[in-house]
Amino acid sequence: MPLNVSFLKRGGSDFENVAFRRVIGEEIRSAGSGRRAVTLVPMRSLSLDTFSFPFSNAAKVREALRLQVLPYAAAGTVEIFPVILERAGRGASGVVWYVSPEELTSLPAEAGLVWPAPLPLASSVEGTGVTLWEDEENICSILWQGYKPVLTRWRPRTQSRKETGAAPESELAWFDACCRSQGLERGGSFVLDATDPEAFASVGAIARESLEHCPWLRSVNLSRRALEGAMGLERSVRLLTRAACWVLLMGGLVLAGSLLRLNQLQNKTEEVRGRSEALYREVFDPAHRGRIGNPVSLARDKISALQGGVSEGRGLDGALADLGEIYAENTSLDIVMDILRYNSEGLDLTGSAPDMSTVLTFRKAWEGRAGLSQLDNTQSVSGVGYRFDLRVRW
């Protein structure tokens, strides 16, 4: 239940400057001059029940409770005020207050935060027993079990013993019989005469003590404003959820299209690569096995070698001398050369190394000896390490 007051903080000290008020007809009378106020209302239609669900989302809890009372809608609508008392994993349990819409509408507009009249009196019976509220027209009570409300009751007040109505003594006797029949612990009894200003002034101290044992009291607000706020929040959540679902659906469609397009491009790329490798093997190197890193560049080098012959100043002996110097300068270089191809423009080396850092060291060693040293194809091979193709151009 959303809160629309700022003073509901953790701990009981935040109630020091709170004014507790009560409703007499359409008039609100206060028990203090605090800037913040809680209105205690003896609600005639109020009833409560317990709930336990495998989820704790407030909107889902409210919707589940609404579905539970739906079969009784023919008897009249009720407003639902769930209060979560405990959370265990993803589940939650608590109590739900049911109030008729007409009674909420009849409350004064300045009521603000609304509590059932006997609610803040739980500490007066140490969490187990009956807290009873008595004013000019009403007698309402709550039965507590371990600081949890389990039953609420309202009766019109008897003005005299001869009139039809209820008296505190008869109400307490009714609870005695109820607890015996239901196997509930009776506990103590506390009767607050709200018509007595001195007695009503003690509500603040009792409420602060009750709040220490019942921190969930901060989430109780049986007012029309709180109900409208909760319903507005639920509508917003539903709209945002629908919008998010549509966005997620559109995003999924776009992603699926992109993946399909990527798969098509990869297939075309592999097809072109396969054709290039097949042509290179057929024309230049039928005995070559495995992948060819860059068949187009290798083919161009082969053609250049056939056309131009050996370049001046860097023959095969010079290239081999450079290779020997690299091994001499890097005595720990663990490079195994499988294939070495020479042409007028440079060398094409195919080999293997135990790790990638060794391959990079080998490539860097050619940088000062050639105009270009480029790794065309590097792949990890189980049991071998890293196989690589290195292009060296003068």
Side-chain angles (χ1 to χ4, degrees), residues 314-325 340 342 346-347 366 394:
R314 187 63 66 91
L316 177 60
D317 54 346
L320 294 177
D322 290 339
L323 182 61
E325 291 178 1
L340 187 150
Y342 168 81
L347 297 175
W366 283 99
W394 317 127

Side-chain angles (χ1 to χ4, degrees), residues 92-319:
S93 60
V95 297
V96 54
W97 307 89
Y98 298 106
V99 185
S100 69
E102 293 77 13
E103 187 162 14
L104 291 181
T105 304
S106 64
L107 292 176
E110 66 274 15
L113 183 68
V114 175
W115 283 5
L119 187 66
L121 309 177
S123 61
S124 61
V125 293
E126 297 182 353
T128 300
V130 178
T131 55
L132 187 145
W133 168 283
E134 180 184 18
D135 61 19
E136 292 82 355
E137 300 176 355
N138 311 277
I139 290 180
C140 54
S141 50
I142 293 178
L143 175 63
W144 298 83
Q145 298 287 298
Y147 284 102
K148 295 180 182 179
V150 297
L151 179 64
T152 182
R153 181 176 166 87
W154 175 89
R155 287 294 180 271
R157 181 183 179 184
T158 301
Q159 300 300 328
S160 69
R161 296 300 183 185
K162 296 181 181 180
E163 295 180 3
T164 301
E169 295 81 4
S170 63
E171 285 298 292
L172 296 177
W174 185 91
F175 278 105
D176 293 340
C178 177
C179 289
R180 284 195 301 268
S181 64
Q182 298 296 322
L184 300 175
E185 185 178 353
R186 175 61 178 81
S189 300
F190 180 79
V191 178
L192 178 71
D193 185 1
T195 61
D196 181 359
E198 184 176 348
F200 185 55
S202 66
V203 172
I206 299 174
R208 285 189 290 272
E209 185 177 353
S210 298
L211 195 62
E212 294 292 337
H213 300 281
C214 307
W216 52 266
L217 288 175
R218 299 177 177 86
S219 60
V220 178
N221 187 4
L222 311 188
S223 68
R224 173 62 62 179
R225 180 179 299 178
L227 181 64
E228 292 173 352
M231 296 176 65
L233 179 61
E234 290 179 12
R235 286 193 296 268
S236 299
V237 170
R238 283 196 295 267
L239 290 175
L240 291 175
T241 301
R242 292 176 183 175
C245 290
W246 278 109
V247 171
L248 182 62
L249 177 60
M250 296 302 296
L253 293 176
V254 172
L255 178 61
S258 300
L259 291 176
L260 181 61
R261 179 62 178 169
L262 176 61
N263 184 61
Q264 293 175 346
L265 292 175
Q266 288 179 339
N267 291 338
K268 290 182 179 180
T269 302
E270 289 298 324
E271 183 181 354
V272 171
R273 181 185 293 272
R275 289 180 180 178
S276 301
E277 292 179 358
L279 288 173
Y280 178 82
R281 289 191 184 94
E282 181 181 352
V283 176
F284 298 104
D285 193 358
H288 186 88
R289 296 294 180 267
R291 299 299 301 268
I292 300 175
N294 196 336
V296 176
S297 298
L298 294 177
R300 185 173 60 248
D301 295 342
K302 288 281 189 180
I303 294 172
S304 177
L306 293 174
Q307 291 177 346
V310 178
S311 61
E312 296 180 1
R314 187 63 66 91
L316 177 60
D317 54 346

